[in-house]
Amino acid sequence: MSVDLSSRSFRPYTGEKARITRAYDYLILVLALFLFIGSFHLHFALTVGDWDFWVDWKDRQWWPLITPLMGITFPAAVQAVMWEKFRLPLGATLCIACLSIGTWIARIFAYHYWNYFPINMVLPSTMLPSALVLDAILMLSNSLTVTAIFGGSLFALLFYPANWPIFGMFHVPIEYGNGQMTVADLLGFEYIRTGMPEYLRIIERGTLRTYGQYATPLSAFCSALLCTLMYTLWWYIGKWFATVRYLTKI
Amino acid sequence: MKSRINKYLLALGLMLSLLTLNSQTVMAHGEKALEPFIRMRTIQWYDVQWSKQKFNVNEEISVTGKFHVAEDWPISVPKPEASFLNISTPGPVLIRTERYLNGKPFMNSVALQPGGDYDFKVVLKGRLPGHYHIHPFFNLKDAGQVMGPGIWLDIEGDAADFTNDVKIINGETINMETYGLSNGIFWHVFWGLLATAWLLWWVRRPLFIARYRMLQAGLDDELITHKDRLIAKALMVGVPLLVYASYVMTTRQYPNTIPLQASMDQILPLPAEVNAGVVNVETLKAEYSVPKRALSLTVKINNNSEKPVHIVEFSTANVGFYNKALPLPDSGNSEPVLAVEGLSLSTIEAIKPGEEKTMTITAEDAFWETEKLDGLTRDADSRVGGLLFLADDTGKRYISSISAAIIPKFN
Ligand SMILES: [Cu+2]
């Protein structure tokens, strides 16, 4: 560490100095807000993409696998900085809240007002419960390992049940065209997407299918395992990003 | 400096996300974008008709038509194993309420058979007023979009009048435009408030510099209070419990849910309409004259029907070349690109029953260039394809597919 302060000689800032550091807090927070809204939302749109955009992509296998896996990236990196440098256990919640804001803005303006899709067809999923638990575990454990294993797993495991209250009702069956389909499927059929034919949907595919009804829990546990690794990886990315090498006096 | 970079990044990010969103709408008019051999030798559309061109919000119209899947499917284009009949629109200005292929409901994608004949019907309902150019087209998996003929549609009325009610399996009627929306917003707000409370709990105290200094001074313990720990413990236990409770509540409220449906439709071709075997056409040679912008086809026609037949039309990539010697037939509102110069034949006499005749058909028109079909002579796969329509005096129609390697004539 390049800054040396001992507890005996420590004096908290007062007066003008305290006011300036507080102003600095708000400046950083506002900048962070915009940075995360833009960058995390973009990262999410490019990686999770259609699984998060469309209600008829939110299946039992790929959606609960991919979404937490890509959703834990920025939270891990920001937690690394916020916790290691400031003992602030809010990295995950801050990131996911920013993501939610960015996503809602895009859904309302880009999807609804610009491209005319009803908002219920492009409802975002939520990872806020997962993020709150991740922050709480990091704070209580003060350990990367514990947070990666338990926090990472819970982050993935909570995703599907936390979103079922939002999306479950889109899975009620409808008799249509001599078959059954979900409300979500019918939204996809009725509201024309020229660049998104039905066959492009990567849903309900792959070997997990051989487990039939248990596809979702298996998918979630698979995601939990991967989230543990992903969390660790992005923790180090965050740590590497937030160097104090150039900080000499504070 | 940092904030400026952030702003640039944000702007770049927004631009990029808009670009990815917008690519869907831009593609709607790529009808001439695909190489000519794909437009000529994959889905060969004909008889496309719209029930109406001017209609109101909430009013249903239909588009019907036929297509032949070329036997001479290009080797470089993946076979149509998953194909989706789509409508090119600038977003859902219309909704698709029904779709049929060969009279069967067609909700998913289907495997088309090269050489097969199909007819289709799509029922659409006006949603947003406006003036739109709309085409039926096929999304072909791994191959791209093959456009059908386009038409201008006028939707009139008030967008606010649009309704889309559907009956779910338990008999309840739901509004597709708003179903699940307020419930979804409720859960986002619920978790959003909890997250905001947690963030405010921390943000209200001095943050970065103050905490960094204290941490460096080894005062970790003062940064996390007893109360903080209590709240974190409550969150760690309470949030999963809340999630579980809300999940169970939902499964009780909606006990009969099904997974998203991901099956293919199975629809077989109709009995042959093209190359049905009564009037047979064999393409002997195809030459394209670059300066004249003219395609000359030498064909051997074998009439096994009981009446004399004559050539009516040669159609390829939605361009129709009609026999000059005949009056232009009424093609309804399907608006295919009509080649004004039409089709000239080496002999105008009809082909008698039982007769076998070799003749040259010339389709000369600037459309070869304006429709970007002349690129054919410089393609890796330089074969021409299309449909030749013949008819007898009673109007009975015989359709044959044309397929041959093309030979360019540069002067
Ligand atoms: Cu058009």
Side-chain angles (χ1 to χ4, degrees):
Chain A
M1 285 294 152
S2 39
V3 183
D4 186 38
L5 288 168
S6 76
S7 50
R8 260 173 298 133
S9 65
F10 181 79
R11 293 278 177 280
Y13 286 156
T14 51
E16 185 72 359
K17 250 184 172 173
R19 270 204 301 282
I20 291 173
T21 54
R22 192 62 182 149
Y24 179 76
D25 284 349
Y26 286 125
L27 184 72
I28 291 294
L29 271 180
V30 170
L31 287 180
L33 205 70
F34 279 104
L35 176 69
F36 296 152
I37 288 176
S39 59
F40 194 18
H41 172 230
L42 179 65
H43 163 90
F44 209 68
L46 293 179
T47 51
V48 184
D50 294 307
W51 281 291
D52 200 56
F53 297 157
W54 309 108
V55 69
D56 63 335
W57 273 70
K58 292 182 167 54
D59 71 332
R60 300 176 300 176
Q61 294 179 20
W62 293 97
W63 178 52
L65 180 73
I66 308 270
T67 320
L69 188 58
M70 291 300 141
I72 204 169
T73 53
F74 276 50
V78 175
Q79 271 195 341
V81 182
M82 292 290 189
W83 184 251
E84 295 252 284
K85 304 282 183 249
F86 310 106
R87 285 289 182 272
L88 278 171
L90 48 70
T93 310
L94 181 67
C95 277
I96 299 293
C98 287
L99 174 67
S100 294
I101 294 169
T103 309
W104 271 102
I105 292 173
R107 299 302 153 83
I108 290 172
F109 291 98
Y111 284 78
H112 182 63
Y113 285 114
W114 192 3
N115 280 304
Y116 321 125
F117 289 102
I119 299 179
N120 60 349
M121 185 177 174
V122 291
L123 267 183
S125 52
T126 182
M127 286 184 290
L128 284 173
S130 302
L132 283 165
V133 172
L134 194 63
D135 275 340
I137 290 181
L138 176 66
M139 191 195 116
L140 294 169
S141 70
N142 186 19
S143 149
L144 166 61
T145 320
V146 172
T147 313
I149 294 173
F150 295 101
S153 300
L154 269 175
F155 191 88
L157 294 177
L158 285 175
F159 177 74
Y160 197 85
N163 280 283
W164 193 246
I166 303 176
F167 296 105
M169 61 194 295
F170 288 94
H171 286 246
V172 297
I174 299 181
E175 188 185 334
Y176 217 88
N178 283 356
Q180 68 165 354
M181 64 201 306
T182 65
V183 175
D185 292 316
L186 187 60
L187 277 166
F189 177 80
E190 286 195 331
Y191 291 82
I192 298 169
R193 292 168 294 196
T194 54
M196 169 70 62
E198 181 279 330
Y199 62 72
L200 274 190
R201 292 189 299 165
I202 302 170
I203 58 162
E204 301 284 338
R205 284 187 202 169
T207 46
L208 271 179
R209 196 174 224 182
T210 47
Y211 299 98
Q213 304 298 310
Y214 302 103
T216 312
L218 274 166
S219 217
F221 275 105
C222 184
S223 189
L225 183 71
L226 292 172
C227 271
T228 301
L229 307 174
M230 197 64 140
Y231 183 86
T232 317
L233 173 69
W234 279 76
W235 174 280
Y236 281 108
I237 291 177
K239 212 173 151 172
W240 165 79
F241 205 72
T243 178
V244 283
R245 203 180 306 156
Y246 308 108
L247 190 67
T248 49
K249 188 170 178 293
I250 196 158
Chain B
M1 182 63 193
K2 196 177 168 194
S3 73
R4 196 188 288 171
I5 292 175
N6 288 349
K7 268 186 204 148
Y8 281 135
L9 277 177
L10 186 69
L12 204 70
L14 282 174
M15 264 153 58
L16 253 169
S17 46
L18 292 180
L19 212 69
T20 46
L21 287 176
N22 205 27
S23 55
Q24 301 179 348
T25 31
V26 171
M27 276 192 288
H29 272 83
E31 52 243 66
K32 296 177 199 169
L34 283 179
E35 290 146 301
F37 68 89
I38 300 180
R39 285 186 284 146
M40 289 176 163
R41 282 164 48 210
T42 50
I43 308 291
Q44 299 170 328
W45 307 83
Y46 61 100
D47 290 355
V48 175
Q49 290 292 322
W50 293 78
S51 66
K52 256 183 185 179
Q53 275 180 274
K54 221 177 202 144
F55 55 102
N56 285 315
V57 167
N58 272 333
E59 198 176 331
E60 283 194 329
I61 59 153
S62 66
V63 52
T64 52
K66 295 179 178 176
F67 61 90
H68 178 68
V69 183
E71 295 74 1
D72 186 19
W73 191 273
I75 184 77
S76 58
V77 179
K79 293 283 178 291
E81 270 149 18
S83 317
F84 186 86
L85 176 60
N86 214 335
I87 303 287
S88 77
T89 62
V93 298
L94 302 136
I95 63 162
R96 169 173 43 216
T97 54
E98 292 163 55
R99 185 176 59 173
Y100 302 92
L101 192 64
N102 297 348
K104 298 194 175 75
F106 172 27
M107 305 304 288
N108 302 296
S109 301
V110 75
L112 297 174
Q113 292 180 11
D117 287 301
Y118 299 85
D119 65 33
F120 67 88
K121 178 180 180 185
V122 182
V123 181
L124 302 160
K125 184 172 166 185
R127 182 164 177 254
L128 284 175
H131 181 61
Y132 310 106
H133 202 242
I134 308 250
H135 305 239
F137 75 99
F138 255 103
N139 293 102
L140 303 176
K141 191 178 183 188
D142 302 328
Q145 307 181 332
V146 181
M147 287 286 162
I151 196 178
W152 283 102
L153 294 182
D154 284 290
I155 306 178
E156 285 161 350
D158 189 352
D161 294 339
F162 180 76
T163 55
N164 183 15
D165 294 331
V166 166
K167 199 180 256 180
I168 56 177
I169 233 161
N170 66 14
E172 203 185 312
T173 301
I174 61 166
N175 176 359
M176 294 293 276
E177 296 266 310
T178 55
Y179 181 75
L181 181 61
S182 52
N183 174 69
I185 292 174
F186 168 80
W187 285 108
H188 275 275
V189 169
F190 176 82
W191 293 114
L193 286 177
L194 203 62
T196 310
W198 174 249
L199 291 176
L200 287 179
W201 176 255
W202 294 97
V203 167
R204 74 202 159 95
R205 8 184 153 166
L207 296 174
F208 302 109
I209 295 175
R211 292 180 76 92
Y212 182 75
R213 288 181 75 242
M214 281 174 78
L215 188 62
Q216 295 309 315
L219 299 167
D220 302 35
D221 294 343
E222 289 176 36
L223 290 173
I224 305 288
T225 65
H226 180 67
K227 215 174 188 178
D228 293 340
R229 297 191 149 270
L230 221 61
I231 290 175
K233 277 177 195 161
L235 276 181
M236 198 175 71
V237 180
V239 168
L241 279 179
L242 262 171
V243 165
Y244 184 70
S246 64
Y247 173 76
V248 171
M249 240 167 57
T250 312
T251 53
R252 292 225 176 111
Q253 198 181 349
Y254 301 99
N256 296 315
T257 55
I258 55 168
L260 295 179
Q261 299 297 293
S263 58
M264 289 264 289
D265 292 317
Q266 286 300 318
I267 299 168
L268 293 175
L270 297 171
E273 287 198 28
V274 174
N275 306 330
V278 183
V279 176
N280 295 320
V281 178
E282 191 188 334
T283 321
L284 302 176
K285 192 170 191 182
E287 283 183 347
Y288 181 74
S289 161
V290 179
K292 280 195 203 147
R293 296 184 289 207
L295 176 76
S296 296
L297 297 165
T298 309
V299 290
K300 189 164 82 183
I301 301 174
N302 207 317
N303 182 5
N304 295 324
S305 78
E306 272 144 30
K307 294 212 168 70
V309 296
H310 50 266
I311 292 174
V312 179
E313 183 198 353
F314 172 64
S315 148
T316 183
N318 301 322
V319 182
F321 297 87
Y322 285 90
N323 187 346
K324 268 187 193 173
L326 298 171
L328 214 57
D330 176 26
S331 64
N333 62 9
S334 79
E335 221 179 85
V337 185
L338 276 185
V340 205
E341 297 296 327
L343 208 59
S344 40
L345 312 179
S346 60
T347 159
I348 47 168
E349 286 150 49
I351 304 122
K352 294 180 200 76
E355 191 187 0
E356 182 181 278
K357 199 177 207 172
T358 300
M359 59 198 293
T360 306
I361 312 167
T362 307
E364 181 178 337
D365 202 286
F367 273 126
W368 290 108
E369 224 170 271
T370 54
E371 290 291 308
K372 294 187 185 147
L373 292 169
D374 58 343
L376 198 58
T377 53
R378 286 178 298 274
D379 264 330
D381 189 344
S382 51
R383 288 178 69 82
V384 69
L387 297 176
L388 191 67
F389 293 79
L390 300 99
D392 62 23
D393 289 337
T394 65
K396 184 161 172 41
R397 204 161 60 159
Y398 302 96
I399 313 170
S400 288
S401 59
I402 295 289
S403 117
I406 203 153
I407 300 158
K409 294 279 174 233
F410 294 106
N411 38 43

